[in-house]
Amino acid sequence: VQLQASGGGLVQPGGSLRLSCAASGSIFRIPVMGWFRQAPEKQRELVASTTRVGTTNYADSVKGRFTISRDNAKNTVNLQMDSLKPDDTAVYYCNARVIRSMFSTVESTYWGQGTLVTVSS
């Protein structure tokens, strides 16, 4: 299973960016997809996640500014980031918990390669 993320870049404070991630490979179902981020000298933290049925979870720091969405048919997840702040600067990682076979309930966790988001004037 591979996760390919895209959409990072440099944006001014108050601006917007949209991150996208596509999962491919041996996939039966993806119960949860999400985004994490890691700023310099900080631990990786959950930004947002979404289940197959659309239940979402957001970090308090991004509530009201970020929106996560997914397309189950395409195995993709997006993160719309609005009203960006310098504190949002980090490497953002796509994450997915994948069930690889219809004969299994085992979930395996996969990570994308990371995409850098820099919020600066």
Side-chain angles (χ1 to χ4, degrees):
V1 176
Q2 299 82 38
L3 300 182
Q4 182 67 44
S6 61
L10 173 65
V11 63
Q12 292 186 342
S16 298
L17 278 177
R18 184 177 178 85
L19 304 182
S20 297
C21 177
S24 62
S26 180
I27 297 170
F28 170 65
R29 182 172 293 148
I30 306 179
V32 182
M33 298 188 82
W35 292 91
F36 288 68
R37 67 186 180 187
Q38 187 166 18
E41 300 182 359
K42 292 188 177 180
Q43 288 189 329
R44 190 173 296 189
E45 63 175 358
L46 173 69
V47 177
S49 65
T50 177
T51 68
R52 278 184 59 85
V53 298
T55 301
T56 57
N57 181 40
Y58 293 93
D60 287 342
S61 60
V62 307
K63 284 181 180 176
R65 300 188 297 121
F66 291 11
T67 303
I68 190 169
S69 61
R70 66 184 282 178
D71 184 326
N72 292 328
K74 296 180 180 179
N75 289 331
T76 59
V77 63
N78 300 309
L79 185 67
Q80 177 66 40
M81 305 185 294
D82 300 318
S83 302
L84 282 160
K85 304 175 181 180
D87 284 350
D88 295 318
T89 296
V91 177
Y92 284 70
Y93 296 91
C94 176
N95 170 275
R97 289 179 5 208
V98 177
I99 298 174
R100 298 186 61 185
S101 168
M102 64 182 295
F103 302 108
S104 173
T105 58
V106 175
E107 297 180 5
S108 300
T109 299
Y110 295 90
W111 294 91
Q113 81 279 16
T115 183
L116 178 62
V117 172
T118 303
V119 184
S120 175
S121 55

